[in-house]
Amino acid sequence: MLRLTSLASAAAAAAAVYAVGRRPPRARETAARPVNAPTDLPPARTLAVPGRGEMFFRDAPGRSGEDVTILLLHGWIYPADVNWFTCYEALADIGRVLAPDHRGHGRGLRSPQPFRLADAADDLAGMLRELGTGPVVAVGYSMGGPLAQLLWRRHPDLVGAIVLCATSDTFALTPRDRWVWRGMGAFQ
């Protein structure tokens, strides 16, 4: 019975997809409209980090009076604003919010040399030391998760807590995974 129910559900889902695909085109007035970029982003800053370079990041002062710093670490390819722009305001109610663009992403550090995530974690550590933040709550989304873990492992004095979102400690367990990720690196 379960198999029949699963097949029936799959058939219903396929019919729904087919029906959506066959929907008549919408009127011209309802065509996709451009989305305006948010205008209320936290102030952007750049900071010269000795031995690393100049780092770009968002810096939202906390409104709670608490001495908490939240470090938002974005995912692969996209800069911090793309991953976090909807979170800045709400998180500023908890504490100070820092959202850097990682090395090789957005307005982050540029280097002609290949780099590892450990290098990006060391960039973050240099930034935090220059800012004198003390331990932060490192929040990592996707690739930001391994960065948060590496920051904690390599610089435990700078991380008070970690929050991991849609992430893993590795993204290439099998030979096929490694091949796909190498291909994605070429795509980048």
Side-chain angles (χ1 to χ4, degrees):
M1 186 64 176
L2 180 60
R3 177 179 239 170
L4 184 58
T5 304
S6 297
L7 289 174
S9 297
V17 168
Y18 178 76
V20 168
R22 307 263 310 156
R23 184 181 299 153
R26 294 181 179 175
R28 206 171 208 15
E29 307 82 63
T30 61
R33 291 178 222 117
V35 175
N36 294 329
T39 57
D40 55 348
L41 294 174
R45 291 185 56 189
T46 55
L47 178 70
V49 178
R52 312 303 296 173
E54 192 171 83
M55 293 187 65
F56 171 89
F57 59 99
R58 297 282 176 190
D59 189 353
R63 294 187 292 265
S64 69
E66 297 290 324
D67 193 21
V68 175
T69 301
I70 303 163
L71 178 66
L72 299 176
L73 305 173
H74 64 79
W76 185 53
I77 297 179
Y78 298 106
D81 288 342
V82 173
N83 280 167
W84 301 112
F85 76 93
T86 61
C87 302
Y88 293 144
E89 188 174 340
L91 291 174
D93 287 340
I94 299 169
R96 180 182 187 186
V97 178
L98 300 174
D101 282 354
H102 306 311
R103 180 183 287 243
H105 294 78
R107 291 170 275 190
L109 294 169
R110 296 286 181 226
S111 172
Q113 309 297 327
F115 64 90
R116 302 169 304 141
L117 287 180
D119 299 320
D122 292 343
D123 297 339
L124 296 167
M127 181 186 86
L128 295 173
R129 289 189 201 292
E130 280 299 302
L131 292 172
T133 63
V136 299
V137 176
V139 180
Y141 169 76
S142 188
M143 179 192 77
L147 277 175
Q149 294 171 65
L150 283 165
L151 180 62
W152 168 76
R153 184 174 185 189
R154 297 169 69 85
H155 309 276
D157 59 310
L158 296 175
V159 180
I162 296 178
V163 178
L164 303 176
C165 314
T167 192
S168 175
D169 63 342
T170 183
F171 293 97
L173 289 176
T174 68
R176 180 183 179 278
D177 292 342
R178 287 188 287 279
W179 181 83
V180 167
W181 280 103
R182 280 190 200 107
M184 290 174 75
F187 169 71
Q188 180 189 16

